[in-house]
């Protein structure tokens, strides 16, 4: 370890003493503290820890979890140089523990008072070992995680122990699958050092799951999914002191932004025989104490910090002085299978050593008390009863008198009982929403300050600008990419990592660039480069009129002069949602004043009203309500089809598809096939927003990644379910994002042919949380709206015929303008439109056929009612819609008496 000067240490310690923010350089200096400097460092860390415990009402308490260790499989596809847990199939009686073996361990643990079942296993062993693949196939499991899920449910149902899952690297979708069966999960970050991953002979070389970027993404996805998550660092495996500092800051960033890091383990390397790193010296306990103390100062009082008690020899007091507030899981039954040479201390000994330092040892559950007390969205409703049986409702800690007893794990049985403000679809146009924001605004979306840290200024084409001086505000605008892929990088760059999302400041292409791009658009519409397309989005005045004229010529070639619309009804069956989309003003908690859920009968009644008014389509979407049964989406489709057999069911966004597949543990393909059988005729291509994850993770906390959206849409097309495609723009994005999004849509259409239309959705800002927090700009300008509608027609020419504008989000005059610039469709009469109205749209919840015709009349273009597939409705449907003017009576505004 390199030395630092005494003066540098004293300066850094003084800043720590005064509570000043520390940077990586100062933290690196503090990690060198020894002797009296270490004593001072520990004093400062203890003070921060104590403040955090006081704040949550646990002053003087250090916690632990009484657990049983279930090594589900010791096979792993990784080859870490220090690991004795992972082994080869020929050294095991079977690739996996059998269900009987799992339950026997769990039952013994329950008999000894354990409350946590720690599932530990290697990463995706079936990818490396054919024996693992064969075992899973023989026992009917698609993959290791399917077996993990099944065993977690068995343990819950048969023993009452709470599973904590450590299955290694997880995808966003994996977390969706596993959250309903485990109150908490975990994965050690270990280190952010790429050298240890990339250089031959280093600790993580040859281990695909130890890529620091991949592991950080897991921490972020867990936060986005609202999973209470345990992580930590491993010191002494060849990393530098600077690496340690950077690793701690990386964890802090995720903890601040998402709030889901329930615990950080600081673990010291202990060399083991029969490993590649057996000759390395152990990390010293002074190093460990200094790292714990620095982690405490950096992570702050709210993060719980743990040191494994079986790895600290007799230095319990030193670790407590360093700032820990938890000893982690301790098993009275099973060994530490990761460090088998280091037995757990007896709980009575741990209690005595903790008391010697002036603290009381208290038992917690695998899910930390703060998350127990918070409940949703951190705890899935299917686990409420299991956790409540063991938790003190006041403190969230384990109840000393709790009795372990298995209870059924099942889908919530709330069904579709009508509840809440079910007339919101009408009242939103009269009395409006109750409040402009939820009262959990400051925390439900993550940390707004941390979110702002993602933003860097760029020009509209994505070119980074010099950093603003400290304290400068974010300019109005959208997101950005630091480094853009080459022209034409579309579908293969769904989540291209194009750079930090950023605030767009003013800047337009030169007139010569716009002129050149206009010539190219006229000659070869689909061949525009990214740079040319971005230049066109800056067109103004005569250039903008010329752009619109080019787009309108292409529209005429593709679909003629008709302007089309569909008589339909939106049915948003619930607005209860805990996903945490930062642009959404529709989502409510179940206890909020504006929350509602419709019963199946109410959904069917609204479909019947729409049918009676001449509708040919209902569009159904709703919040991701945790209480609805796993079959909810199938039930909804069947309810509509049974009541109105001739109605086209256009329903369920890709996010809802993922939710449904996760809830039923079906593949996306199997779920879509079941939805089609239940009556779903097409999917709305919503939940797309901007298909770039750098933008998405600012816009939304927990929505599906771009690649998942693409997979759902592609699979829907493959099973014969057509979809629309959409883009929501004008928030934290930039023009380059728009161009790449549209090109990605074209690429998908050329591969599948399943898109019926492309719908442009301008961001409605008024009540959007991300705007109220001062991060998003107030939607696109009129010039941008005209330009992007025209550009969509140009870039999609020859691929998607129908370009739709949203009268809900655009004023009538802007709708007229974009109809003269490439647009041929107005969408639907809607009958009820609640989502945009809750966000602050002032254009009403429905339009009659007469109003749609009046909007188009000045252009002289013919107007035609269509079906969802752009066909011609039957004479009976046309007559019914003419009689109602396309809107059912129950939603019509009542005019005041004269």
């Amino acid at each position: 370890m390199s030395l630092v000067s005494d003066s540098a240490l004293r300066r850094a310690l003084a800043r720590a003493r005064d509570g000043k923010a520390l940077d990586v350089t100062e933290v690196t200096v503090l990690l060198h503290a020894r002797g009296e400097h270490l004593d001072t460092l520990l004093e400062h860390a203890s003070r921060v820890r104590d403040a955090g415990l006081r704040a949550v009402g646990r002053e003087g308490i250090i916690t632990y979890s009484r657990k049983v260790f279930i090594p589900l499989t010791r096979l792993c596809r990784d080859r870490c140089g220090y690991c004795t847990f992972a082994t080869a199939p020929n050294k095991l009686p079977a690739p996996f523990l059998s269900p009987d073996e799992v339950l026997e361990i769990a039952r013994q643990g329950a008999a000894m008072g354990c409350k946590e079942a720690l599932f530990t296993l290697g990463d995706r062993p079936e990818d490396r070992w054919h024996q693992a693949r064969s075992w899973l196939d023989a026992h009917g499991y698609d993959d290791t995680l399917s077996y993990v899920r099944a065993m977690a449910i068995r343990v819950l149902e048969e023993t009452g122990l709470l599973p904590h899952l450590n299955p290694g690297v997880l995808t966003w979708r994996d977390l969706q699958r596993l959250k309903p069966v485990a109150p908490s999960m975990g994965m050690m970050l270990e280190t952010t050092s790429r050298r240890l991953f990339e250089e031959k002979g280093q600790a993580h070389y040859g281990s695909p799951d130890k890529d620091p970027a991949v592991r950080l993404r897991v921490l972020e996805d867990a936060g986005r999914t609202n999973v209470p998550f345990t992580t930590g660092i491993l010191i002494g495996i060849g990393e530098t002191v600077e690496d340690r500092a950077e690793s701690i800051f990386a964890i802090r960033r995720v903890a601040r932004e998402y709030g889901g890091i329930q615990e950080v383990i600081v673990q010291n390397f202990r060399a083991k025989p029969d490993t590649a790193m057996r000759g390395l010296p152990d990390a010293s306990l002074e190093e460990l104490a200094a790292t714990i103390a620095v982690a405490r100062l950096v992570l702050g009082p709210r993060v719980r910090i743990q040191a494994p008690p079986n790895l600290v020899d007799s230095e319990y007091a030193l670790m407590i002085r360093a700032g820990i507030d938890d000893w982690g899981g301790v098993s009275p039954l099973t060994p530490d299978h990761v460090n088998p040479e280091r037995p757990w201390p007896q709980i009575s000994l741990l209690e005595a050593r903790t008391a010697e330092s002036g603290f009381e040892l208290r038992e917690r559950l695998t899910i930390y008390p703060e998350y127990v007390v918070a409940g949703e969205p951190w705890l899935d409703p299917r686990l409420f009863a299991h956790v409540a049986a063991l938790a003190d409702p006041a403190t969230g800690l384990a109840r000393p008198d709790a009795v372990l007893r298995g209870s059924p794990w099942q889908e919530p049985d709330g069904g579709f009982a009508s509840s809440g403000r079910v007339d919101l679809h009408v009242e939103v146009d009269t009395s409006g929403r109750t409040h402009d924001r939820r009262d959990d605004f400051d925390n439900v979306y993550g940390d707004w300050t941390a979110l702002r840290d993602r933003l860097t200024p760029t020009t509209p084409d994505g070119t980074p600008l010099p950093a603003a001086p400290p304290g400068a505000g974010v300019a109005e605008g959208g997101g950005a990419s630091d480094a853009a892929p080459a022209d034409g990088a579309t579908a293969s760059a769904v989540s291209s990592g194009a750079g930090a999302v950023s605030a767009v400041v003013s800047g337009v292409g030169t007139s010569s660039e716009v002129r050149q791009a206009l010539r190219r658009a006229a000659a070869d519409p689909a061949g525009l480069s990214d740079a040319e397309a971005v230049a066109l989005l800056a067109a103004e005045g005569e250039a903008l009129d010329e752009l619109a004229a080019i787009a309108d010529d292409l529209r005429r070639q593709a679909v003629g002069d008709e302007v089309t619309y569909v008589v339909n009804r939106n049915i948003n069956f619930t607005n209860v949602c805990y996903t945490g989309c930062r642009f959404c003003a529709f989502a409510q908690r179940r206890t909020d004043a504006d929350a509602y859920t419709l019963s199946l009968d109410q959904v069917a009644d609204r479909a019947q009203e729409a049918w009676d008014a001449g509708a040919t389509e209902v569009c159904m979407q709703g919040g991701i309500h945790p209480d609805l049964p796993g079959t909810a989406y199938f039930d909804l489709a069947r309810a509509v089809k049974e009541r109105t057999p001739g109605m086209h069911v256009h329903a369920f966004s890709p996010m809802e598809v993922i939710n449904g597949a996760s809830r039923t543990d079906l593949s996306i393909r199997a779920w879509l096939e079941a939805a089609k059988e239940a009556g779903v005729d097409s999917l709305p291509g919503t939940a797309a927003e901007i298909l770039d994850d750098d933008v998405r993770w600012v816009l939304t906390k927990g929505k599906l990644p771009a690649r998942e959206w693409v997979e759902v849409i592609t699979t829907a097309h493959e099973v014969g379910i057509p979809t629309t495609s959409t883009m929501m723009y004008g928030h934290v994005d930039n023009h380059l994002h728009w161009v790449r999004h549209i090109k990605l849509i074209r690429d998908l259409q050329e591969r599948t042919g399943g898109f019926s239309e492309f719908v442009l959705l301008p961001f409605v800002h008024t009540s959007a949380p991300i705007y109220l927090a001062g991060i998003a700009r107030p939607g696109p300008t009129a010039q941008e709206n005209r330009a992007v509608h025209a550009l969509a027609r140009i870039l999609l020419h020859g691929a998607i015929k129908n370009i739709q504008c949203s009268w809900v989000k655009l004023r009538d005059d802007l709708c007229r303008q974009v109809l003269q610039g490439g647009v041929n469709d107005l969408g639907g009469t809607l009958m009820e439109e609640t989502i945009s109205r809750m966000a602050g749209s002032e254009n009403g919840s429905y339009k009659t056929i007469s109003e749609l015709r009046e909007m188009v009349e000045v252009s002289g273009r013919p107007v035609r009612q269509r079906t969802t597939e752009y066909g011609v409705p039957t004479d009976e449907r046309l007559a019914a819609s003419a009689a109602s003017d396309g809107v059912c009576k129950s939603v019509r505004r009542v005019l005041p008496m004269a």
Side-chain angles (χ1 to χ4, degrees):
M1 180 178 289
S2 60
L3 299 177
V4 299
S5 70
D6 186 75
S7 60
L9 266 167
R10 291 186 183 281
R11 281 195 301 271
L13 285 167
R15 288 180 60 81
R17 176 198 64 209
D18 296 339
K20 295 181 179 178
L22 301 172
D23 61 23
V24 172
T25 301
E26 291 164 332
V27 164
T28 302
V29 168
L30 291 175
L31 286 168
H32 289 84
R34 299 294 183 270
E36 66 177 34
H37 291 316
L38 178 58
D39 290 336
T40 304
L41 176 64
L42 303 188
E43 180 184 336
H44 299 334
S46 291
R47 186 180 70 246
V48 174
R49 183 264 322 280
D50 293 344
L53 290 175
R54 280 194 301 273
V56 295
R58 293 203 300 275
E59 185 171 8
I61 291 174
I62 289 180
T63 50
Y64 80 103
S65 174
R66 191 182 292 250
K67 74 179 179 186
V68 63
F69 205 124
I70 300 177
L72 194 66
T73 178
R74 292 180 59 197
L75 301 182
C76 183
R77 70 176 183 175
D78 295 320
R79 297 174 172 85
C80 299
Y82 49 78
C83 182
T84 57
F85 178 75
T87 188
N90 62 1
K91 297 181 179 179
L92 296 170
F96 293 85
L97 294 182
S98 70
D100 287 344
E101 290 171 319
V102 168
L103 290 170
E104 179 59 25
I105 295 171
R107 290 188 183 108
Q108 290 181 32
M112 298 183 73
C114 296
K115 297 179 179 65
E116 172 186 345
L118 171 61
F119 283 80
T120 298
L121 56 149
D123 276 84
R124 303 184 190 275
E126 65 269 35
D127 289 355
R128 178 182 176 188
W129 301 107
H130 70 84
Q131 295 93 334
R133 179 72 271 166
S134 297
W135 191 96
L136 292 167
D137 289 343
H139 290 80
Y141 297 103
D142 292 337
D143 52 25
T144 295
L145 294 184
S146 294
Y147 188 47
V148 171
R149 189 179 193 274
M151 289 303 96
I153 293 172
R154 291 284 299 275
V155 166
L156 283 164
E157 291 193 325
E158 300 192 31
T159 72
L161 291 175
L162 302 178
H164 175 84
L165 306 182
N166 279 354
V169 166
L170 297 169
T171 66
W172 179 89
R173 198 188 307 171
D174 293 336
L175 289 158
Q176 299 284 321
R177 290 172 63 193
L178 295 177
K179 179 177 177 177
V181 303
S184 62
M185 300 182 218
M187 182 203 70
M188 293 286 282
L189 172 61
E190 297 192 12
T191 179
T192 55
S193 172
R194 295 206 64 81
R195 178 178 56 83
L196 299 189
F197 173 67
E198 294 172 347
E199 289 186 11
K200 191 172 183 178
Q202 296 297 331
H204 292 153
Y205 184 76
S207 300
D209 300 296
K210 293 305 173 79
D211 183 338
V214 170
R215 296 179 87 77
L216 281 169
R217 190 264 305 151
V218 175
L219 301 189
E220 292 173 337
D221 282 348
R224 293 169 185 139
T225 313
N226 298 312
V227 172
F229 207 76
T230 294
T231 190
I233 62 172
L234 180 58
I235 69 169
I237 57 173
E239 82 288 359
T240 66
V241 178
E242 291 80 5
D243 291 334
R244 291 180 197 172
E246 290 169 359
S247 300
I248 294 168
F249 273 94
I251 292 173
R252 183 181 77 167
R253 178 186 62 78
V254 177
R256 285 179 58 200
E257 187 163 343
Y258 300 104
I261 302 296
Q262 67 164 0
E263 168 188 38
V264 175
I265 302 169
V266 182
Q267 182 173 331
N268 47 324
F269 166 74
R270 294 282 197 166
K272 299 175 179 64
D274 301 322
T275 66
M277 294 173 62
R278 59 187 176 274
L280 264 66
D282 290 352
S284 74
L285 294 180
E286 280 194 327
E287 273 185 274
L288 178 62
T291 308
I292 291 170
V294 164
R296 171 57 69 198
L297 293 173
V298 172
L299 297 171
R302 289 187 295 178
V303 173
R304 311 277 75 88
I305 295 180
Q306 176 212 128
N310 58 324
L311 302 182
V312 302
D313 296 339
S314 60
E315 295 290 347
Y316 300 98
L318 180 63
M319 303 309 146
I320 292 173
R321 288 174 58 213
I324 68 158
D325 47 19
D326 188 83
W327 286 119
V330 179
S331 179
L333 173 66
T334 50
D336 179 351
H337 288 275
V338 177
N339 298 282
E341 77 287 0
R342 298 275 173 176
W344 303 110
Q346 292 293 320
I347 292 173
S348 59
L349 174 65
L350 190 61
E351 185 175 26
R353 294 292 178 267
T354 303
E356 288 172 2
S357 293
F359 286 83
E360 177 188 356
L361 185 68
R362 291 281 300 276
E363 185 184 1
R364 60 167 174 83
L365 304 178
T366 178
I367 176 174
Y368 266 72
E370 293 85 343
Y371 299 92
V372 173
V373 173
E376 290 178 323
W378 300 103
L379 186 60
D380 189 279
R382 283 156 284 197
L383 298 171
F384 281 173
H386 299 87
V387 172
L390 304 179
D392 181 329
T395 66
L397 293 168
R399 282 205 343 260
D401 61 345
V403 177
L404 270 294
R405 185 180 296 112
S407 60
W409 179 93
Q410 59 189 24
E411 292 293 337
D413 57 6
F416 281 91
S418 173
S419 65
R421 198 176 173 188
V422 296
D423 291 329
L424 185 62
H425 66 294
V426 175
E427 293 174 354
V428 73
D429 283 335
T430 55
S431 55
R433 59 183 300 148
T434 304
H435 306 290
D436 75 334
R437 68 189 75 188
R438 291 161 45 159
D439 59 17
D440 60 351
F441 178 89
D442 290 335
N443 56 66
V444 71
Y445 304 104
D447 186 280
W448 291 115
T449 302
L451 199 62
R452 290 187 189 94
D453 290 345
R454 284 180 175 260
L455 302 175
T456 53
T458 74
T459 59
D461 66 359
T463 303
L465 293 172
V474 176
E476 278 194 355
S481 302
D482 286 338
D487 290 345
T490 55
S492 62
V494 175
S495 181
S496 59
V501 178
S502 48
V504 173
V505 298
S506 60
V508 297
T510 65
S511 58
S512 61
E513 289 172 335
V514 174
R515 284 285 157 206
Q516 180 180 343
L518 285 168
R519 288 192 293 272
R520 179 68 180 274
D524 182 16
L528 284 170
S529 70
D530 287 2
E532 290 167 332
V534 168
L536 290 176
L537 288 169
E540 296 179 325
E542 292 182 0
L544 180 57
D545 291 339
E546 184 175 344
L547 175 65
I550 293 170
D552 225 32
D553 285 344
L554 295 174
R555 182 267 305 159
R556 199 170 292 108
Q557 293 174 34
V559 294
D561 283 331
E562 281 184 336
V563 177
T564 51
Y565 66 91
V566 63
V567 175
N568 65 349
R569 182 170 191 168
N570 282 354
I571 303 177
N572 302 126
F573 47 89
T574 183
N575 64 353
V576 175
C577 187
Y578 292 86
T579 301
C581 293
R582 299 178 179 112
F583 62 85
C584 180
F586 178 67
Q588 306 289 305
R589 294 169 301 176
R590 62 164 60 79
T591 55
D592 288 336
D594 292 333
Y596 73 87
T597 298
L598 302 180
S599 68
L600 287 176
D601 283 343
Q602 287 172 318
V603 169
D605 289 345
R606 294 189 185 190
Q608 184 67 60
E609 286 182 346
W611 181 261
D612 294 343
T616 55
E617 169 194 300
V618 292
C619 176
M620 291 194 293
Q621 297 179 88
I624 307 301
H625 194 321
D627 285 354
L628 293 184
T631 58
Y633 302 115
F634 306 149
D635 298 339
L636 286 161
R638 289 191 186 99
V640 171
K641 284 293 190 180
E642 287 171 3
R643 186 72 68 85
T644 55
M647 188 75 81
H648 182 105
V649 175
H650 180 63
F652 313 133
S653 72
M655 180 67 190
E656 291 169 292
V657 172
I658 290 282
N659 181 52
S662 300
R663 297 280 289 271
T664 53
D665 202 27
L666 294 173
S667 68
I668 289 174
R669 180 176 296 273
W671 191 93
L672 286 167
E673 289 170 344
K676 186 177 181 181
E677 184 178 346
V680 173
D681 297 301
S682 60
L683 300 185
T686 49
E689 283 73 68
I690 293 291
L691 291 171
D692 182 307
D693 282 343
D694 288 334
V695 176
R696 296 177 77 75
W697 298 143
V698 175
L699 270 183
T700 174
K701 179 182 175 184
K703 209 166 217 177
L704 76 172
R707 289 186 186 280
E708 303 284 351
W709 188 93
V710 169
E711 182 178 349
V712 171
I713 291 295
T714 302
T715 307
H717 294 174
E718 289 172 355
V719 302
I721 301 177
T723 75
T724 60
S725 55
T726 66
M727 180 175 78
M728 187 185 77
Y729 60 96
H731 31 74
V732 295
D733 49 4
N734 63 36
H735 292 172
L736 183 58
H737 290 126
W738 303 0
V739 169
R740 288 187 176 156
H741 180 105
I742 297 170
K743 286 190 171 185
L744 168 58
I745 295 297
R746 181 186 180 96
D747 184 85
L748 290 173
Q749 180 73 343
E750 288 175 344
R751 286 194 276 133
T752 70
F755 289 129
S756 58
E757 66 210 43
F758 181 64
V759 187
L760 292 115
L761 303 170
F763 173 58
V764 178
H765 69 282
T766 310
S767 295
I770 197 168
Y771 173 75
L772 296 175
I775 294 175
R777 61 171 172 145
T781 65
Q783 175 273 330
E784 286 178 310
N785 279 315
R786 287 187 64 197
V788 75
H789 281 78
L791 183 66
R793 169 61 70 184
I794 291 168
L795 290 178
L796 296 174
H797 182 62
I800 297 178
K801 288 184 176 182
N802 301 299
I803 306 297
Q804 182 187 122
C805 67
S806 171
W807 60 258
V808 174
K809 299 172 187 293
L810 294 174
R811 303 186 309 271
D812 285 5
D813 61 322
L814 265 176
C815 285
R816 293 187 187 98
Q817 290 181 56
V818 298
L819 282 169
Q820 296 171 22
V823 170
N824 69 293
D825 189 74
L826 290 171
T829 57
L830 302 187
M831 301 196 199
E832 54 181 275
E833 203 301 316
T834 312
I835 295 174
S836 294
R837 291 289 289 120
M838 287 286 281
S841 168
E842 298 179 349
N843 299 313
S845 295
Y846 66 83
K847 279 197 183 296
T848 63
I849 294 173
S850 299
E851 288 170 330
L852 292 174
R853 289 183 175 277
E854 183 181 350
M855 188 191 305
V856 181
E857 207 169 57
V858 294
S859 70
R861 288 167 59 183
V863 183
R864 176 177 70 84
Q865 184 176 333
R866 63 169 175 87
T867 63
T868 307
E869 304 93 338
Y870 285 80
V872 178
T874 65
D875 290 343
E876 182 272 333
R877 290 288 82 201
L878 291 171
S881 62
S884 71
D885 209 9
V887 177
C888 60
K889 290 182 180 179
S890 66
V891 304
R892 285 180 175 270
R893 291 177 288 269
V894 178
L895 296 176
M897 297 292 290

